[in-house]
Amino acid sequence: MVKSFLTPTGKDKSNLFVNKSLNTGESTDLTVNVVTGVPKRQDRFGYQNINSGKVYNLSFCFPYLSDYRNGKWNYHPYYDAGENRNSAVSNFHVSFFAPKSYKVAASGQSTTKNGKTTITANNMREVAIAASNKFKVDHAYANGVRINDYYLASKNSKQYNKLALMTAQDSFHIFTKKIGKYPYKEIDITEGLLGKDTGGMEYPGLIMIDASDFLQKKHPLDRYNELTEDVSHEVGHQWFYGTVGSDEYMEPWLDEGLTNFLENGVYDLTYTKSKAYCAKLMHSKFYSRKNVKRANKILRENANAFINKNQKASYINYPVNNPPKGVDTEDMAYELGMDFPAVLKVAMDENKFFDALHDYYQTYYLKQATTQDFLNIIRKYDNSKKVNDVINKFIDPKYLSE
C-alpha cells in the first residue's frame, strides 16, 4: 500500500507519480509504505530452496526516486530482461530482520545482532540484500577493500570459494590500477540461482553469482572459466554503474559495454593467478603469459584491420526497447558496446585511452554520465580523424543526449 498522494498513472504500473508541487528551493519528506510478497523463483528478486535451506535475493522490490535532469523527470518502465536504473547516489539506513540462523549480505556495511541486521550504505545508488540459512562466509582483501564471499556448501564449494575470491582480488587490483579507486570499504559476493542465461547481477557493494552448475554433483569443467568471467564482470560494474552512473535504459552500453570491456578486454588480457588456478582446475595447459601476450596481439591486429579497412559497425547508443534494425538489445549493449572501447584503445594508443578512461571515471565519480560526456573526455585526449571515424561507426548523433 502507498499513501494516497502517490498514484500509478498511464499504461505502465511500474511508475508512481507524486501529486504534489514544489517551488524552487523547497523540499519535502516523502514516505512510501510498501508491502510485498517474495516469489519463489530463480531471479534477482525471489527465493529458492537450496541444500535443504533457503536463499533470498532481495532487490528491485522497493521504489526509488526518479532522476531529475535537464528540467524533467526521467523514468522508464520496469525492464526485467535488463535494467532501467538511472539514479543519483543516496544515503541508506536499513533495518532488516531475519531468523538467527540466517547470514545476511548487503550493500554497504552491516552488523547483525539477535536477528536484526543494521545496514548503513552511504553514497550508493541503491541497496540489495541476500540472506540464507545455508551461507558460509570467507573473505579476502584487495587494495584495502574487504571482499566477503557468501557461498553454499557443496561438493564443489571449496574450489568455487577460492576461485571467486581470487578472481575478485585480481579484478580489484587491475581495475583500480587502470581506472581508479573503488569508493567503498567492502563488497559482498553471494551465491544463488539466477535463472537461465544469467551468470550474475550487480549492485553497489554487492554482486550475485549464479551457482546452477556448482550445486550439481557433476558440472562442466568450463564452468570454472565462466565463474571467472561472471565475477570479473560483476566486479567491473562497481566502476561503471556503481561509481559512474548512467541511464541504463536509454544508453545501456555505458554500463554493460564498458563493463564487458573490463571483463574481456582488461581482466582476460592480463595474466592473473585466478586464471592460472582456473586453468589448473580445468586440466588445461594452454593458459600462460605467452598465450595472454598472443591474445593481446591478435586483438590489436583485429582492431587495426577494422580501422584501416573501413569496416562498418552498428550503433550502440540506442535505448533497450529500440535497438538498431537487425541487432538485438543484448548484442548492442554487451558485444558491440565492448567492441567500441576495445577499438578506441587501439586507435588512440593504449596509454592515452586509459588516461582518458581514468579521467572519465574521476570526473563523474559518484555522479551520472552520458555518451556525450564520455565522448567529450575521449576527444580531450585524442580528437584525430582516426578516433572520430571510430566514434562515427558506433555512435549515432541522433541519440546523443546532454
Side-chain angles (χ1 to χ4, degrees):
M1 60 181 179
V2 296
K3 288 195 172 181
S4 59
F5 57 81
L6 280 170
T7 57
T9 61
K11 294 180 180 180
D12 173 48
K13 304 302 182 186
S14 63
N15 281 293
L16 296 172
F17 295 85
V18 181
N19 298 322
K20 188 173 183 178
S21 298
L22 291 175
N23 294 321
T24 302
E26 287 185 326
S27 63
T28 189
D29 292 328
L30 177 65
T31 301
V32 182
N33 298 313
V34 179
V35 178
T36 181
V38 182
K40 184 180 180 181
R41 65 173 187 165
Q42 297 182 12
D43 207 335
R44 303 166 294 188
F45 174 50
Y47 79 92
Q48 314 102 39
N49 295 319
I50 301 177
N51 290 354
S52 300
K54 286 184 170 64
V55 176
Y56 287 86
N57 288 334
L58 304 174
S59 66
F60 296 124
C61 54
F62 46 82
Y64 59 87
L65 289 174
S66 176
D67 182 46
Y68 189 78
R69 291 168 71 93
N70 300 324
K72 65 179 181 180
W73 293 103
N74 293 305
Y75 58 88
H76 311 300
Y78 178 75
Y79 184 70
D80 197 56
E83 291 89 48
N84 64 332
R85 299 172 293 188
N86 183 27
S87 54
V89 298
S90 301
N91 295 333
F92 296 87
H93 304 280
V94 181
S95 294
F96 181 81
F97 297 87
K100 291 182 181 179
S101 60
Y102 277 70
K103 288 184 173 65
V104 178
S107 302
Q109 295 181 282
S110 61
T111 57
T112 299
K113 185 177 181 180
N114 297 325
K116 177 184 178 180
T117 299
T118 303
I119 301 164
T120 300
N122 292 333
N123 290 321
M124 288 190 167
R125 300 187 189 279
E126 62 182 319
V127 167
I129 298 170
S132 175
N133 56 353
K134 291 295 179 179
F135 274 155
K136 293 181 176 297
V137 188
D138 196 4
H139 68 270
Y141 289 88
N143 298 89
V145 176
R146 181 183 171 105
I147 304 167
N148 305 305
D149 186 29
Y150 291 77
Y151 66 99
L152 300 162
S154 71
K155 181 181 177 181
N156 310 298
S157 59
K158 182 178 179 180
Q159 293 89 342
Y160 169 91
N161 173 54
K162 182 176 179 179
L163 185 56
L165 284 175
M166 288 179 72
T167 302
Q169 284 180 301
D170 286 337
S171 299
F172 265 93
H173 290 319
I174 297 166
F175 302 158
T176 300
K177 181 180 179 180
K178 291 285 189 181
I179 305 165
K181 187 179 178 181
Y182 175 73
Y184 312 115
K185 293 182 179 179
E186 62 183 72
I187 184 172
D188 293 346
I189 305 171
T190 67
E191 187 180 13
L193 300 176
L194 296 178
K196 186 179 179 182
D197 300 326
T198 302
M201 184 62 204
E202 74 280 357
Y203 304 92
L206 184 146
I207 61 175
M208 299 174 180
I209 300 297
D210 180 69
S212 300
D213 289 331
F214 283 99
L215 294 177
Q216 300 173 9
K217 290 184 178 179
K218 292 184 178 181
H219 63 88
L221 287 177
D222 192 53
R223 188 63 185 96
Y224 290 120
N225 185 61
E226 290 178 11
L227 177 60
T228 66
E229 303 295 300
D230 295 339
V231 172
S232 64
H233 183 94
E234 306 310 339
V235 168
H237 269 302
Q238 301 302 307
W239 276 257
F240 298 119
Y241 148 70
T243 305
V244 178
S246 58
D247 191 327
E248 297 175 281
Y249 191 84
M250 295 302 294
E251 299 180 307
W253 87 270
L254 274 174
D255 72 297
E256 293 299 354
L258 286 176
T259 300
N260 219 25
F261 168 73
L262 293 186
E263 170 201 336
N264 293 282
V266 180
Y267 169 78
D268 271 357
L269 295 183
T270 305
Y271 184 83
T272 58
K273 292 180 179 179
S274 54
K275 278 290 190 180
Y277 179 59
C278 174
K280 180 180 178 181
L281 293 173
M282 294 174 63
H283 310 296
S284 172
K285 298 179 181 179
F286 294 102
Y287 187 73
S288 65
R289 295 181 188 276
K290 184 178 180 180
N291 284 344
V292 170
K293 188 175 181 179
R294 183 181 294 120
N296 275 278
K297 181 181 178 182
I298 291 171
L299 286 172
R300 282 195 303 271
E301 290 172 349
N302 290 340
N304 277 317
F306 175 86
I307 296 167
N308 297 328
K309 293 181 181 179
N310 199 27
Q311 295 178 7
K312 293 182 179 180
S314 294
Y315 292 132
I316 61 174
N317 59 319
Y318 278 42
V320 293
N321 64 338
N322 186 32
K325 187 176 180 180
V327 178
D328 65 31
T329 297
E330 187 168 323
D331 282 344
M332 175 188 72
Y334 287 81
E335 303 307 322
L336 290 165
M338 170 186 67
D339 291 343
F340 179 44
V343 175
L344 274 179
K345 182 181 78 169
V346 175
M348 295 176 67
D349 174 75
E350 183 171 338
N351 290 333
K352 192 186 294 184
F353 171 79
F354 280 112
D355 285 345
L357 200 58
H358 176 80
D359 191 347
Y360 172 72
Y361 183 74
Q362 293 300 325
T363 300
Y364 297 101
Y365 188 86
L366 298 178
K367 300 175 184 176
Q368 291 146 282
T370 65
T371 298
Q372 185 63 65
D373 295 326
F374 178 83
L375 297 182
N376 290 344
I377 298 288
I378 292 295
R379 286 176 171 137
K380 185 172 95 173
Y381 285 79
D382 192 331
N383 199 21
S384 65
K385 181 180 183 301
K386 179 191 285 188
V387 167
N388 278 289
D389 285 345
V390 172
I391 291 172
N392 292 335
K393 290 178 182 180
F394 287 95
I395 303 300
D396 187 346
K398 182 173 63 178
Y399 277 90
L400 283 176
S401 59
E402 296 296 331

